[in-house]
């Protein structure tokens, strides 16, 4: 590895220096993943951080010791610990300790995970983790996928595959602006994805489940020209806001009848496929043409690790394989193997599925099932506590591990002040959201349970701050 030996230090001195720094960093990492009461962290302004940290990028460097000190004492404390047990905002994460430790191995191994010729061992391990993911979906034999940087890239890769398949089916489609239908509760990345692929998007207006009948009704309102432009439907397997799962069975029926690409964005909710208690809610997902799942959300991997799965991977390969004279050797029979870069947008990629593989291999899939079930159980426990609390009430029944509730008598400003007060105190990060009530939107509070270390006491303590 390059240690910049000729720049400032003699080789022997830099070796000693690197060993010392490695020990310091490992000490920090071990401390971080074993601490019983992690700090939540609170953001600071750019001006504050500049004053506290100063200029760290200089011609001669500030030294590893100083840089690590600034990280520990200032920068890390100005960043939120996403795995804090009272971080219940957005979709948090709770990577297993095994996955975090193996993320270090992944970086140290320095593997390019785009092509089998360079990364066969790492890619093989990723493939075993992917086989488990595919098995959760119930998709037919031959279905497979790749790990991506997250749900946005997975969704984009799937829709590019759908669009290119649509174009290949009919050359006239190359001159048409594609059209996608999804629900108004879909993730924001779906709209961004449509912009990137130069497609128009139409929404089925519902905060609840998009039903097959809703989709069919929307299609029936389209003009003949628009129906020619329609090439894909995106359903959601667990909305980010409320954990709602669309009518996947009914939507699959419509997509098959209309010959439309059926994509399921289960970036958040896909982890619940491992939970026997709610698996039936996903019936129909096995009929999808593509599925997005984010292991860095509810499958306890560190950032960044998403996944896209295809019913027919060859369609993705036709859409994504990159050509170049310097790439020809990777396709030679002598280097034959699975090349992840052929199935998604990125060419250069790290083997980001390795931490998931190691954690699964170490703990077994039953541990994963139990950990996901705990998130669902915590949501049910929280709902009961909210009902029993004289100051709070449920907005709707919990969806997967999401709970929407209101503090009786509060306005939007009250929720915002409550969020900042708890966060600044280092106690908890719970943020409000918007929920549609009739023709208007209401500000409400929201829990999202991912971390199995979150306790009932944590829930009680957070609700107590609403008194």
């Amino acid at each position: 590895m390059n240690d910049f030996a000729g720049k400032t230090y003699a080789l022997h001195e830099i070796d000693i220096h690197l060993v010392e720094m490695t020990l310091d960093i490992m000490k920090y990492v071990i401390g971080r993943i074993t601490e019983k009461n992690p700090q939540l962290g609170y953001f600071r302004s750019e001006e504050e951080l500049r004053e506290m940290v100063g200029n760290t990028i200089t011609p001669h460097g500030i030294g590893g010791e100083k840089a690590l000190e600034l990280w520990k004492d200032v920068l890390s404390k100005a960043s939120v610990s996403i795995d804090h047990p009272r971080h219940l905002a957005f979709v948090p994460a709770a990577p297993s300790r095994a996955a975090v430790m193996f993320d270090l191995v992944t970086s140290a191994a320095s593997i390019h995970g785009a092509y089998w010729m360079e990364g066969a061992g790492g890619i093989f391990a990723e493939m075993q983790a992917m086989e488990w993911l595919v098995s959760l979906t119930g998709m037919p034999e031959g279905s497979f996928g790749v790990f991506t940087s997250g749900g946005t890239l997975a969704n984009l890769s799937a829709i590019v595959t759908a669009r290119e398949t649509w174009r290949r089916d009919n050359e006239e489609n190359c001159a048409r602006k594609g059209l996608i239908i999804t629900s108004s509760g879909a993730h924001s990345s779906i709209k961004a994805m449509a912009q990137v692929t130069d497609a128009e998007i139409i929404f089925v207006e519902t905060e609840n489940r998009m039903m097959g009948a809703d989709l069919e009704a929307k299609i029936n309102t389209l003009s003949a020209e628009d129906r020619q432009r329609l090439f894909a439907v995106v359903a959601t397997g667990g909305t980010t806001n409320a954990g709602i799962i669309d009518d996947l069975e009914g939507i699959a029926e419509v997509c098959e009848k209309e010959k439309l690409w059926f994509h399921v964005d289960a970036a958040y909710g896909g982890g619940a496929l491992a939970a026997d208690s709610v698996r039936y809610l996903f019936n129909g997902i096995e009929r999808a043409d593509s599925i997005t799942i984010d292991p860095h959300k509810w499958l306890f991997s560190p950032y960044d690790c998403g996944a896209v799965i295809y019913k027919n991977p060859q369609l993705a390969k036709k859409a994504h394989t990159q050509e170049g004279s310097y790439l020809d050797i990777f396709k030679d029979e002598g280097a034959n193997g699975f090349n992840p870069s052929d199935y998604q947008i990125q060419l250069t990629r790290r083997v980001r599925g390795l931490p998931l593989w190691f954690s699964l291999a170490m703990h077994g899939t039953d541990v994963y099932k139990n950990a996901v079930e705990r998130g669902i159980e915590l949501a049910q426990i929280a709902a009961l506590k909210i009902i029993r609390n004289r100051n709070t009430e449920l907005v709707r029944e919990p969806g997967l591990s999401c709970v929407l509730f209101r503090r009786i008598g509060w306005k939007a400003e009250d929720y915002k002040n409550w969020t900042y007060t708890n966060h600044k105190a280092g106690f908890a990060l719970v943020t409000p959201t918007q929920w549609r009530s009739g023709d208007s939107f209401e500000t409400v509070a929201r829990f999202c349970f991912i971390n199995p270390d979150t306790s009932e006491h944590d829930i009680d303590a957070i609700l107590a701050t609403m008194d």
Side-chain angles (χ1 to χ4, degrees):
M1 291 184 180
N2 184 358
D3 60 8
F4 301 100
K7 185 176 180 182
T8 306
Y9 302 95
L11 180 62
H12 178 67
E13 291 172 331
I14 193 73
D15 279 350
I16 294 173
H17 177 74
L18 286 174
V19 169
E20 291 173 348
M21 281 308 307
T22 299
L23 294 174
D24 288 342
I25 289 172
M26 289 304 299
K27 182 179 178 181
Y28 167 78
V29 171
I30 292 169
R32 172 64 183 81
I33 67 174
T34 57
E35 58 189 343
K36 298 293 185 182
N37 298 299
Q39 290 187 326
L40 178 59
Y42 186 78
F43 68 91
R44 291 181 177 272
S45 70
E46 183 180 350
E47 290 75 16
E48 287 177 303
L49 289 174
R50 284 192 181 279
E51 183 176 341
M52 297 170 73
V53 173
N55 184 22
T56 59
I57 309 303
T58 67
H60 301 293
I62 63 172
E65 294 83 358
K66 179 63 175 176
L68 184 59
E69 178 186 333
L70 287 172
W71 170 254
K72 291 191 295 185
D73 295 344
V74 180
L75 298 173
S76 66
K77 294 178 181 178
S79 307
V80 172
S81 296
I82 201 79
D83 57 350
H84 191 284
R86 289 190 297 279
H87 184 318
L88 304 179
F90 319 116
V91 178
S96 70
R97 290 167 175 82
V100 170
M101 288 300 291
F102 210 77
D103 204 29
L104 294 178
V105 175
T106 300
S107 294
S110 197
I111 296 171
H112 185 214
Y115 292 102
W116 188 263
M117 181 180 183
E118 288 189 306
I123 294 169
F124 177 81
E126 281 191 318
M127 290 172 69
Q128 295 214 330
M130 180 57 67
E131 286 171 4
W132 178 68
L133 278 186
V134 175
S135 74
L136 296 179
T137 70
M139 293 174 81
E141 187 176 352
S143 303
F144 207 62
V146 290
F147 292 102
T148 68
S149 63
T152 297
L153 192 70
N155 286 333
L156 179 58
S157 297
I159 289 303
V160 167
T161 301
R163 184 196 63 187
E164 293 307 297
T165 301
W166 172 66
R167 286 175 171 175
R168 280 194 303 272
D169 288 344
N170 184 347
E171 288 187 4
E172 293 180 4
N173 291 335
C174 295
R176 295 186 175 115
K177 186 181 180 76
L179 183 63
I180 300 167
I181 294 180
T182 191
S183 77
S184 56
H187 191 265
S188 58
S189 67
I190 305 303
K191 186 183 290 186
M193 172 194 68
Q195 291 175 332
V196 171
T197 55
D198 192 31
E200 186 180 347
I201 193 162
I202 293 179
F203 294 100
V204 173
E205 293 294 338
T206 177
E207 280 287 319
N208 291 299
R209 296 180 80 200
M210 179 171 69
M211 304 298 293
D214 298 329
L215 172 62
E216 191 162 35
K218 179 62 71 172
I219 292 174
N220 288 336
T221 67
L222 300 179
S223 66
E225 181 183 351
D226 283 346
R227 288 186 78 144
Q228 287 183 317
R229 297 194 298 121
L230 180 62
F231 72 94
V233 172
V234 179
T236 306
T239 60
T240 305
N241 206 30
I244 295 167
I245 301 167
D246 287 338
D247 172 23
L248 303 181
E249 198 80 70
I251 293 168
E253 291 281 352
V254 176
C255 289
E256 289 167 7
K257 183 178 74 172
E258 298 287 340
K259 295 182 171 54
L260 299 171
W261 186 279
F262 177 30
H263 177 66
V264 179
D265 177 12
Y268 150 61
L273 289 166
D276 295 337
S277 65
V278 296
R279 179 58 182 83
Y280 70 96
L281 297 173
F282 292 88
N283 287 347
I285 197 170
E286 71 280 355
R287 298 164 71 177
D289 293 291
S290 54
I291 300 171
T292 289
I293 300 174
D294 276 359
H296 66 213
K297 288 189 171 74
W298 209 356
L299 290 175
F300 316 110
S301 289
Y303 292 122
D304 51 5
C305 184
V308 57
I309 302 170
Y310 302 99
K311 180 185 292 183
N312 185 349
Q314 288 304 309
L315 297 178
K317 189 173 184 179
K318 289 178 181 178
H320 293 293
T321 297
Q322 297 191 29
E323 303 293 338
S325 58
Y326 67 97
L327 300 175
D328 288 346
I329 188 64
F330 292 121
K331 299 161 192 173
D332 186 79
E333 289 184 6
N336 190 31
F338 181 73
N339 297 325
S341 66
D342 288 342
Y343 301 90
Q344 40 88 55
I345 296 293
Q346 287 181 294
L347 179 64
T348 301
R349 67 181 291 275
R350 71 195 299 262
V351 276
R352 54 175 48 87
L354 280 187
L356 173 64
W357 164 77
F358 182 78
S359 188
L360 282 168
M362 176 175 173
H363 294 299
T365 58
D366 284 350
V367 169
Y368 270 69
K369 285 177 178 285
N370 293 336
V372 173
E373 290 281 16
R374 179 57 176 166
I376 296 166
E377 181 184 34
L378 284 167
Q380 296 297 326
I381 291 169
L384 188 59
K385 291 178 180 292
I386 288 163
I387 291 170
R388 291 174 175 173
N389 189 310
R390 59 185 174 83
N391 293 319
T392 57
E393 59 185 15
L394 283 179
V395 172
R396 63 184 310 278
E397 287 298 309
L400 298 180
S401 66
C402 290
V403 184
L404 300 184
F405 64 103
R406 62 175 62 89
R407 168 51 162 95
I408 298 169
W410 273 14
K411 294 181 168 50
E413 195 67 20
D414 297 311
Y415 287 102
K416 186 170 74 172
N417 291 337
W418 171 72
T419 293
Y420 284 127
T421 298
N422 282 338
H423 189 192
K424 196 167 186 177
F427 171 65
L429 180 56
V430 185
T431 54
T433 189
Q434 296 284 309
W435 181 253
R436 189 169 185 169
S437 301
D439 294 330
S440 61
F441 286 89
E442 175 190 7
T443 299
V444 298
R446 174 182 171 278
F447 287 150
C448 183
F449 295 98
I450 295 292
N451 195 337
D453 288 340
T454 301
S455 67
E456 293 186 39
H457 173 73
D458 290 324
I459 299 170
D460 289 331
I462 293 170
L463 291 176
T465 64
M466 286 184 151
D467 290 345

